[in-house]
Amino acid sequence: MPRWTKGQSGNPRGRPRRGYTFTDALRAKGTPEELAEVAWKAARKGEPWAIQMIFNRLEPQPTQLKLTHEVDNGQQLDYSKLTDEEIKQLESLLERATTPVAEIEGGEGPPPSA
């Protein structure tokens, strides 16, 4: 005879709890100290999320943005090598290059940058 009847879940109480988790601490509006304690305990148990969170907090990785553009011959232009002033000049040139000729000849376009 089965331990449950047909159509009834084999685990009516659901998944067993694994103890107090970080999510539980957040839901309970725990203090920063309580949250840190939960993270440390989870990290000691080998929980990847906790290890990653603590590592990122202790050794934050610098944010780097690599701006590149591939041109027709397969080369890549690396805009991250440009200074802020050079990028402003480039933006001005691109704006001028995309302005319709009629606006430029009629004097309605943006003034050329120096």
Side-chain angles (χ1 to χ4, degrees):
M1 175 174 221
R3 294 181 4 199
W4 56 88
T5 60
K6 187 175 180 178
Q8 179 186 2
S9 170
N11 188 5
R13 292 188 193 164
R15 183 181 226 171
R17 293 185 57 90
R18 297 186 312 181
Y20 195 64
T21 66
F22 192 72
T23 306
D24 294 332
L26 286 175
R27 284 190 188 121
K29 298 180 183 171
T31 66
E33 292 78 20
E34 291 171 323
L35 298 175
E37 184 180 336
V38 169
W40 278 113
K41 284 180 182 178
R44 286 188 191 111
K45 290 180 182 177
E47 293 285 341
W49 66 266
I51 294 168
Q52 185 68 45
M53 185 180 75
I54 291 170
F55 177 76
N56 286 341
R57 190 73 170 152
L58 297 175
E59 292 287 333
Q61 299 297 315
T63 303
Q64 295 181 350
L65 180 62
K66 186 172 182 179
L67 300 171
T68 59
H69 177 77
E70 190 169 320
V71 291
D72 292 337
N73 60 4
Q75 288 184 316
Q76 285 201 350
L77 304 176
D78 185 0
Y79 296 111
S80 62
K81 295 179 181 178
L82 300 177
T83 65
D84 288 344
E85 183 59 35
E86 290 170 329
I87 290 174
K88 288 178 185 175
Q89 290 174 352
L90 181 59
E91 287 174 343
S92 176
L93 290 171
L94 291 171
E95 183 179 340
R96 181 130 172 96
T98 58
T99 303
V101 176
E103 287 184 25
I104 295 172
E105 290 177 353
E108 298 173 15
S113 299

